[in-house]
Amino acid sequence: MTADLVITRRDNRQAGMASIDPPTTVGAADTALYIAGLAKELRGLASKTDLGFLAYLLSMVASEAEETVRRLADEEQGRAR
């Protein structure tokens, strides 16, 4: 007899997490900023539940996304000159 694992999607509000709405524009900077926010939220969740390695990885994701936002802003300023 085998048991099948069934994973169902739960709404963020049901899971007790605040929901971050996706950006309405689909530009790279907006997307990177959205990813940074999500990664920080998930890092906090991972930290609270003693998932240290996941928290570390999510911290790296947040840092990379924030650096991408800065780089894109610098590139945009360079083009505006």
Side-chain angles (χ1 to χ4, degrees):
M1 179 179 192
T2 61
D4 292 329
L5 177 63
V6 178
I7 299 173
T8 58
R9 184 173 177 262
R10 292 180 10 169
D11 183 43
N12 283 347
R13 288 175 191 86
Q14 289 175 333
M17 299 184 316
S19 179
I20 298 175
D21 294 329
T24 54
T25 58
V26 195
D30 291 329
T31 301
L33 191 59
Y34 175 69
I35 290 168
L38 280 176
K40 287 178 182 179
E41 185 175 324
L42 291 170
R43 180 189 64 206
L45 183 61
S47 292
K48 288 178 187 177
T49 55
D50 295 324
L51 297 172
F53 187 64
L54 283 175
Y56 167 75
L57 291 174
L58 289 162
S59 177
M60 297 301 293
V61 169
S63 294
E64 180 63 25
E66 288 171 342
E67 179 57 34
T68 299
V69 171
R70 284 190 288 276
R71 181 181 49 78
L72 290 171
D74 290 346
E75 289 175 4
E76 185 65 30
Q77 286 179 351
R79 280 181 267 193
R81 292 181 184 168

